[in-house]
């Protein structure tokens, strides 16, 4: 339990139409093959209820396009399923608290995923985004980074590679301070996924700031300063 589970339950609720179905199918596959299947049964139950909500509200635009309604449904479904599970297994108080907290986190993730996904699917430029859209996109990106940080392909970590690219781009297109701020955000996400990444992220942040100071020398030299 824990980890990226809330996001997997939030995206199908937040996304529109066929995107929601694709996300739901991916979440079902992920919960079925990753982790302990018995622990993920509650997530699968929430996804089944989510599908029911999406089908029932398909003909009611006011509800299916309301982030408050979708977030409330996510919290209620998560809390209800967690309550039933805890009752059946005579769970301790700690598990009840954890289950309810996970439900609230799922609702919050649904709210931000709604705004972030709607903006990204609209095809508009990021410069046109408002505060809530920018915040939502940032949180979704950090959540994705958290998920990728736990993966490894041979000796490579997709999460670390993406973090380095993001820091370098921030330094090149903005400033050394922006590179450092990006590094701090990436470090927080990577450390949440794998606490041992705290030191690595700190090194990336310092190197990003250093490289950002020399952004005017070109991408190759900037990257060399970052690697050095």
């Amino acid at each position: 339990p824990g980890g990226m589970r809330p996001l997997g339950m939030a995206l199908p609720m937040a996304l529109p139409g066929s995107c929601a179905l694709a996300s739901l199918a991916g979440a079902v596959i992920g919960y079925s093959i990753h982790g302990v299947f018995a622990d993920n049964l509650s997530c699968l139950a929430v996804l089944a209820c989510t599908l029911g909500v999406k089908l029932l509200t398909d003909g009611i635009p006011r509800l299916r396009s309301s982030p408050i309604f979708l977030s409330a449904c996510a919290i209620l479904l998560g809390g209800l399923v967690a309550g039933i599970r805890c009752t059946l297994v005579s769970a301790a108080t700690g598990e009840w608290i954890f289950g309810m907290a996970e439900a609230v986190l799922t609702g919050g993730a649904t709210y931000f995923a709604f705004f972030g996904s709607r903006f990204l699917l609209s095809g508009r430029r990021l410069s046109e985004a408002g505060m809530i859209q920018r915040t939502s996109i940032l949180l979704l990106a950090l959540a994705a980074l958290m998920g990728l940080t736990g993966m490894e392909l041979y000796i490579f970590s997709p999460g670390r590679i993406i973090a380095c690219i993001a820091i370098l781009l921030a330094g090149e297109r903005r400033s050394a301070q922006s590179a450092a701020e990006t590094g701090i955000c990436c470090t927080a996400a990577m450390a949440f996924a794998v606490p041992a990444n705290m030191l690595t992220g700190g090194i990336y942040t310092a190197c990003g700031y250093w490289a950002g100071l020399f952004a005017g020398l070109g991408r190759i030299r900037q990257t060399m300063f970052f690697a050095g």
Side-chain angles (χ1 to χ4, degrees), residues 4 8 11 20 29 39 54 61-62 69 73 83 88 103 106 119 121 125 128 137 140-141 155 158 165-166 197 201 210:
M4 301 296 292
L11 286 178
I29 294 173
D39 291 339
K54 302 295 282 189
R62 185 178 61 179
F69 172 77
C73 285
L88 292 176
T106 301
F119 182 83
L121 292 172
R125 300 178 62 180
E128 301 176 37
I137 293 171
L140 288 177
I155 61 173
I165 293 174
N197 281 326
W210 175 252

Short mmCIF file of all heavy atoms in Angstrom, two decimals, residues 4 8 11 20 29 39 54 61-62 69 73 83 88 103 106 119 121 125 128 137 140-141 155 158 165-166 197 201 210:
data_model
loop_
_atom_site.label_atom_id
_atom_site.label_comp_id
_atom_site.label_asym_id
_atom_site.label_seq_id
_atom_site.Cartn_x
_atom_site.Cartn_y
_atom_site.Cartn_z
N MET A 4 2.45 5.12 -5.36
CA MET A 4 1.73 5.82 -6.41
C MET A 4 0.28 5.36 -6.53
O MET A 4 -0.39 5.70 -7.50
CB MET A 4 2.46 5.59 -7.74
CG MET A 4 3.90 6.04 -7.77
SD MET A 4 4.07 7.82 -7.57
CE MET A 4 3.37 8.40 -9.10
N GLY A 8 -2.98 6.36 -9.49
CA GLY A 8 -3.59 5.38 -10.37
C GLY A 8 -5.10 5.36 -10.27
O GLY A 8 -5.80 5.06 -11.25
N LEU A 11 -6.43 9.34 -11.83
CA LEU A 11 -6.41 9.68 -13.25
C LEU A 11 -7.66 9.20 -13.99
O LEU A 11 -8.23 9.97 -14.78
CB LEU A 11 -5.15 9.13 -13.91
CG LEU A 11 -3.85 9.87 -13.59
CD1 LEU A 11 -2.67 9.21 -14.27
CD2 LEU A 11 -3.95 11.33 -14.01
N ALA A 20 -9.94 8.48 -20.20
CA ALA A 20 -10.25 7.88 -18.91
C ALA A 20 -10.26 6.35 -19.02
O ALA A 20 -9.76 5.65 -18.13
CB ALA A 20 -11.61 8.37 -18.41
N ILE A 29 -4.14 -3.01 -15.14
CA ILE A 29 -2.98 -3.85 -15.45
C ILE A 29 -1.87 -3.63 -14.41
O ILE A 29 -1.26 -4.58 -13.91
CB ILE A 29 -2.45 -3.55 -16.86
CG1 ILE A 29 -3.49 -3.96 -17.91
CG2 ILE A 29 -1.13 -4.29 -17.11
CD1 ILE A 29 -3.13 -3.54 -19.32
N ASP A 39 -3.32 -6.91 -1.73
CA ASP A 39 -3.32 -5.54 -1.20
C ASP A 39 -3.93 -4.55 -2.18
O ASP A 39 -4.42 -3.48 -1.79
CB ASP A 39 -1.89 -5.10 -0.86
CG ASP A 39 -1.31 -5.85 0.33
OD1 ASP A 39 -2.11 -6.40 1.13
OD2 ASP A 39 -0.08 -5.91 0.44
N LYS A 54 -18.30 7.18 -14.21
CA LYS A 54 -18.07 7.78 -15.53
C LYS A 54 -19.20 7.45 -16.49
O LYS A 54 -19.62 8.30 -17.28
CB LYS A 54 -16.73 7.30 -16.10
CG LYS A 54 -15.52 7.60 -15.23
CD LYS A 54 -15.27 9.09 -15.09
CE LYS A 54 -14.60 9.67 -16.29
NZ LYS A 54 -14.17 11.08 -16.07
N PRO A 61 -23.25 16.69 -18.64
CA PRO A 61 -22.04 17.50 -18.76
C PRO A 61 -21.69 18.28 -17.50
O PRO A 61 -20.51 18.46 -17.18
CB PRO A 61 -22.37 18.44 -19.92
CG PRO A 61 -23.42 17.71 -20.71
CD PRO A 61 -24.23 16.96 -19.70
N ARG A 62 -22.71 18.76 -16.78
CA ARG A 62 -22.44 19.57 -15.60
C ARG A 62 -21.68 18.79 -14.53
O ARG A 62 -20.86 19.34 -13.80
CB ARG A 62 -23.76 20.08 -15.01
CG ARG A 62 -23.60 21.04 -13.84
CD ARG A 62 -24.93 21.54 -13.36
NE ARG A 62 -25.75 20.43 -12.88
CZ ARG A 62 -26.98 20.59 -12.38
NH1 ARG A 62 -27.52 21.80 -12.32
NH2 ARG A 62 -27.67 19.55 -11.96
N PHE A 69 -17.08 17.76 -8.08
CA PHE A 69 -17.88 16.53 -8.05
C PHE A 69 -16.99 15.30 -8.21
O PHE A 69 -17.13 14.32 -7.46
CB PHE A 69 -18.93 16.57 -9.16
CG PHE A 69 -19.68 15.28 -9.33
CD1 PHE A 69 -20.69 14.92 -8.45
CD2 PHE A 69 -19.37 14.41 -10.37
CE1 PHE A 69 -21.38 13.71 -8.60
CE2 PHE A 69 -20.04 13.21 -10.52
CZ PHE A 69 -21.05 12.86 -9.65
N CYS A 73 -16.34 12.37 -5.46
CA CYS A 73 -16.60 10.96 -5.76
C CYS A 73 -15.37 10.11 -5.46
O CYS A 73 -15.49 9.00 -4.92
CB CYS A 73 -17.01 10.80 -7.23
SG CYS A 73 -18.68 11.34 -7.61
N GLY A 83 -13.09 1.55 4.09
CA GLY A 83 -13.85 1.21 5.28
C GLY A 83 -14.35 -0.22 5.26
O GLY A 83 -14.28 -0.94 6.28
N LEU A 88 -13.81 -5.80 7.21
CA LEU A 88 -13.77 -7.23 6.93
C LEU A 88 -12.55 -7.91 7.56
O LEU A 88 -12.63 -9.06 7.99
CB LEU A 88 -13.78 -7.48 5.42
CG LEU A 88 -15.08 -7.12 4.70
CD1 LEU A 88 -14.93 -7.33 3.19
CD2 LEU A 88 -16.25 -7.97 5.22
N ALA A 103 -7.66 7.94 0.65
CA ALA A 103 -8.85 8.38 -0.06
C ALA A 103 -8.83 9.89 -0.28
O ALA A 103 -9.14 10.38 -1.38
CB ALA A 103 -10.11 7.97 0.71
N THR A 106 -6.31 10.72 -2.90
CA THR A 106 -6.84 10.40 -4.22
C THR A 106 -7.75 11.51 -4.71
O THR A 106 -7.71 11.90 -5.89
CB THR A 106 -7.62 9.07 -4.18
OG1 THR A 106 -6.75 8.02 -3.75
CG2 THR A 106 -8.17 8.72 -5.56
N PHE A 119 -6.00 21.05 -19.62
CA PHE A 119 -5.17 22.04 -20.31
C PHE A 119 -4.24 21.37 -21.32
O PHE A 119 -4.10 21.85 -22.45
CB PHE A 119 -4.35 22.84 -19.30
CG PHE A 119 -3.51 23.91 -19.94
CD1 PHE A 119 -4.06 25.14 -20.25
CD2 PHE A 119 -2.18 23.67 -20.24
CE1 PHE A 119 -3.29 26.13 -20.86
CE2 PHE A 119 -1.41 24.65 -20.85
CZ PHE A 119 -1.96 25.88 -21.16
N LEU A 121 -4.60 18.57 -22.88
CA LEU A 121 -5.37 18.02 -24.00
C LEU A 121 -5.92 19.11 -24.90
O LEU A 121 -6.30 18.85 -26.04
CB LEU A 121 -6.52 17.15 -23.48
CG LEU A 121 -6.11 15.84 -22.80
CD1 LEU A 121 -7.32 15.16 -22.16
CD2 LEU A 121 -5.44 14.90 -23.79
N ARG A 125 -0.58 26.59 -25.49
CA ARG A 125 0.80 26.76 -25.05
C ARG A 125 0.83 26.94 -23.54
O ARG A 125 -0.11 27.48 -22.93
CB ARG A 125 1.42 27.97 -25.74
CG ARG A 125 1.46 27.85 -27.26
CD ARG A 125 2.04 29.09 -27.89
NE ARG A 125 3.42 29.32 -27.46
CZ ARG A 125 4.16 30.34 -27.88
NH1 ARG A 125 3.64 31.24 -28.71
NH2 ARG A 125 5.41 30.47 -27.46
N GLU A 128 -0.01 30.19 -21.78
CA GLU A 128 -1.41 30.59 -21.66
C GLU A 128 -2.06 30.01 -20.41
O GLU A 128 -3.21 30.34 -20.11
CB GLU A 128 -2.20 30.13 -22.89
CG GLU A 128 -1.68 30.67 -24.21
CD GLU A 128 -2.44 30.09 -25.39
OE1 GLU A 128 -3.67 29.89 -25.27
OE2 GLU A 128 -1.81 29.83 -26.44
N ILE A 137 -0.09 20.97 -13.58
CA ILE A 137 0.88 20.34 -14.48
C ILE A 137 2.17 20.02 -13.74
O ILE A 137 2.77 18.94 -13.93
CB ILE A 137 1.14 21.25 -15.70
CG1 ILE A 137 -0.11 21.35 -16.56
CG2 ILE A 137 2.31 20.71 -16.53
CD1 ILE A 137 -0.02 22.40 -17.65
N LEU A 140 1.59 16.96 -11.55
CA LEU A 140 1.52 15.75 -12.37
C LEU A 140 2.91 15.34 -12.84
O LEU A 140 3.24 14.14 -12.85
CB LEU A 140 0.60 15.98 -13.57
CG LEU A 140 -0.90 16.07 -13.30
CD1 LEU A 140 -1.66 16.38 -14.59
CD2 LEU A 140 -1.41 14.76 -12.70
N ALA A 141 3.72 16.33 -13.24
CA ALA A 141 5.08 16.02 -13.70
C ALA A 141 5.91 15.44 -12.57
O ALA A 141 6.66 14.46 -12.77
CB ALA A 141 5.73 17.29 -14.25
N ILE A 155 21.65 -0.08 -16.15
CA ILE A 155 22.30 0.81 -15.18
C ILE A 155 21.70 2.22 -15.23
O ILE A 155 22.19 3.12 -14.55
CB ILE A 155 23.82 0.89 -15.43
CG1 ILE A 155 24.09 1.45 -16.82
CG2 ILE A 155 24.46 -0.48 -15.25
CD1 ILE A 155 25.57 1.71 -17.09
N PRO A 158 15.44 6.15 -15.58
CA PRO A 158 14.70 7.15 -16.36
C PRO A 158 14.38 8.41 -15.55
O PRO A 158 14.44 9.52 -16.08
CB PRO A 158 13.42 6.41 -16.76
CG PRO A 158 13.79 4.96 -16.71
CD PRO A 158 14.77 4.84 -15.59
N ILE A 165 17.76 16.47 -17.41
CA ILE A 165 17.35 17.23 -18.60
C ILE A 165 16.52 18.45 -18.19
O ILE A 165 16.71 19.55 -18.72
CB ILE A 165 16.55 16.33 -19.56
CG1 ILE A 165 17.46 15.23 -20.14
CG2 ILE A 165 15.93 17.15 -20.68
CD1 ILE A 165 16.74 14.21 -20.97
N ALA A 166 15.61 18.26 -17.25
CA ALA A 166 14.76 19.37 -16.79
C ALA A 166 15.59 20.47 -16.16
O ALA A 166 15.37 21.67 -16.40
CB ALA A 166 13.72 18.86 -15.80
N ASN A 197 17.84 9.00 -2.65
CA ASN A 197 18.11 9.96 -3.73
C ASN A 197 18.26 11.39 -3.23
O ASN A 197 18.49 12.29 -4.04
CB ASN A 197 16.98 9.91 -4.77
CG ASN A 197 17.11 8.72 -5.70
OD1 ASN A 197 18.21 8.30 -6.04
ND2 ASN A 197 15.98 8.17 -6.11
N GLY A 201 20.01 14.12 -5.52
CA GLY A 201 19.27 15.29 -5.97
C GLY A 201 19.94 16.59 -5.57
O GLY A 201 19.93 17.57 -6.33
N TRP A 210 25.37 25.66 -11.10
CA TRP A 210 26.69 25.96 -11.66
C TRP A 210 26.63 26.00 -13.18
O TRP A 210 27.17 26.91 -13.81
CB TRP A 210 27.67 24.89 -11.19
CG TRP A 210 29.05 24.97 -11.78
CD1 TRP A 210 29.60 24.13 -12.69
CD2 TRP A 210 30.06 25.95 -11.50
NE1 TRP A 210 30.88 24.50 -13.00
CE2 TRP A 210 31.19 25.62 -12.28
CE3 TRP A 210 30.11 27.06 -10.67
CZ2 TRP A 210 32.35 26.38 -12.26
CZ3 TRP A 210 31.27 27.83 -10.65
CH2 TRP A 210 32.38 27.48 -11.43
#
